[in-house]
Amino acid sequence: MRADRLIQVLLHLQSRPRVTAAELADALEVSVATARRDLESLSAAGVPVYPQPGRGGGWSLLGGSRTDLSGLTAPEARALFLLAGPGAASSDHARAALRKLVRALPATFRAEAEAAAAAVVVDREGWSAAERARPPEVDALQRAVVERRRVRVDYTGATGYSSRRDVDPWGLVDKDGAWYLIAGTARGPRTFRVDRIGALEVTDEPAVVPDDVDLRAEWDRVVGEVELKRSATWATVRVAPEHVDVLRAQFGRHTVVGDGDGDGDGDGGDGDGARATVRVAAPTPLDVARHLAGWGAQADVVGPPAVRAELARLGAELVAAHDDGARP
């Protein structure tokens, strides 16, 4: 959850003996599902927030309506700042809120809370990865989500076709530096890459956001659809055991170790018992072959035949392009 909203939830709980997820959602202008998830996240982080089931129930801070930050134990304060610290790194408002929270803590807790807030640095860039700048549209879209305002965007799809659309923003997803907008449209929920948005206007029209929308569940659905496309072609490969982690780094979650059933009629041979059998996947046979071509004889591609054929074709192209007739 965002650090600034986490603090809002905590301060809201301090001023009331009990609050329901619906009341919190109305106060913070988020969905009921988001409010409930925020409350559960606080509880899981060690903050003494507990649900009260039954009629007249809700969520409350242990100790009653006037519990303040001095009521937190040292482990609870540490858990709160460990959770909020990394999220506050990119927000001036969140950093200011954390500073106020530190001042509200008992003096004996402050040094440890400050250390906890600075204990984790979030670096979203992989080694050798190109730097991804935060799209300038993100701030405007965040405001539209919070204020529940419809937005008008010029959007260029993957095919290169551009169109102007009015959409109801539900939320944003930051996936390793790539930003996505999940929004309601006339055709149902859609996902838009923020870096493909051209002109953007936050209108005065209210956005229609279902009360039961669950942004995490909606994103999980999108991820599932994308991963299904990215794993359309599976291949069986035999490599030395010490190379399994390298394959896993190349193919990520599309790596299954130890499946020896095979996926084609390649002649992997029976004399490589010391090798590990690994199944890997990519969108097409050519994509799989491109990943494996640099392995040479270190990777025995058992099948399917389509991947082996692409490897053979790539090999022939390399020989034709680079063989100058020299022989060792």
Side-chain angles (χ1 to χ4, degrees):
M1 99 171 68
R2 291 177 53 195
D4 50 351
R5 196 174 73 236
L6 178 152
I7 295 165
Q8 285 181 290
V9 172
L10 184 58
L11 294 177
H12 191 82
L13 285 166
Q14 289 177 32
S15 63
R16 292 161 177 76
R18 189 173 289 111
V19 63
T20 66
E23 291 168 345
L24 182 63
D26 184 64
L28 301 186
E29 297 184 343
V30 297
S31 70
V32 174
T34 296
R36 186 177 297 111
R37 188 167 57 250
D38 289 351
L39 290 163
E40 292 170 349
S41 296
L42 275 175
S43 180
V47 180
V49 180
Y50 296 94
Q52 303 290 327
R55 185 175 181 180
W59 292 75
S60 59
L61 276 168
L62 185 65
S65 62
R66 291 301 171 186
T67 297
D68 58 18
L69 287 177
S70 63
L72 295 176
T73 66
E76 291 164 351
R78 183 170 58 248
L80 173 62
F81 280 81
L82 279 170
L83 183 64
S90 60
S91 169
D92 292 338
H93 294 299
R95 284 194 296 271
L98 282 183
R99 286 194 294 269
K100 292 177 182 178
L101 284 179
V102 168
R103 290 196 294 270
L105 286 171
T108 54
F109 291 178
R110 290 174 189 168
E112 192 168 295
E114 290 175 331
V120 178
V121 172
V122 178
D123 182 355
R124 299 184 181 277
E125 296 298 334
W127 297 111
S128 303
E131 182 178 355
R132 285 179 173 173
R134 174 186 168 101
E137 296 81 9
V138 168
D139 290 338
L141 289 171
Q142 284 179 330
R143 290 195 298 273
V145 170
V146 173
E147 296 172 4
R148 295 200 171 195
R149 296 294 180 185
R150 181 167 292 172
V151 297
R152 183 168 296 124
V153 299
D154 289 341
Y155 187 74
T156 302
T159 61
Y161 174 74
S162 297
S163 62
R164 176 161 292 185
R165 317 181 188 199
D166 286 1
V167 301
D168 296 323
W170 293 359
L172 290 157
V173 176
D174 175 6
K175 185 171 178 60
D176 197 22
W179 286 83
Y180 297 85
L181 169 69
I182 297 179
T185 73
R187 298 183 178 181
R190 293 290 186 271
T191 304
F192 303 91
R193 278 190 57 139
V194 176
D195 59 3
R196 291 178 180 164
I197 293 176
L200 183 151
E201 176 190 355
V202 180
T203 73
D204 292 329
E205 300 178 54
V208 178
V209 182
D211 291 336
D212 60 347
V213 66
D214 186 331
L215 192 64
R216 167 55 65 179
E218 190 63 32
W219 178 246
D220 287 344
R221 180 190 64 78
V222 172
V223 170
E225 292 176 355
V226 172
E227 293 297 344
L228 188 62
K229 294 177 182 177
R230 294 180 62 187
S231 59
T233 300
W234 285 87
T236 302
V237 185
R238 291 179 183 148
V239 295
E242 60 267 25
H243 293 156
V244 170
D245 285 342
V246 183
L247 267 183
R248 187 179 283 114
Q250 280 187 292
F251 290 91
R253 69 182 64 187
H254 303 133
T255 310
V256 178
V257 181
D259 184 352
D261 293 339
D263 196 20
D265 55 2
D267 55 355
D270 299 323
D272 55 353
R275 291 194 166 196
T277 300
V278 185
R279 283 173 54 78
V280 297
T284 68
L286 178 58
D287 291 317
V288 178
R290 283 172 172 163
H291 279 299
L292 296 175
W295 285 75
Q298 293 184 79
D300 176 15
V301 180
V302 179
V307 172
R308 290 171 58 86
E310 291 290 358
L311 279 168
R313 185 181 62 78
L314 289 174
E317 287 183 358
L318 288 170
V319 170
H322 299 284
D323 187 359
D324 56 4
R327 291 291 181 267

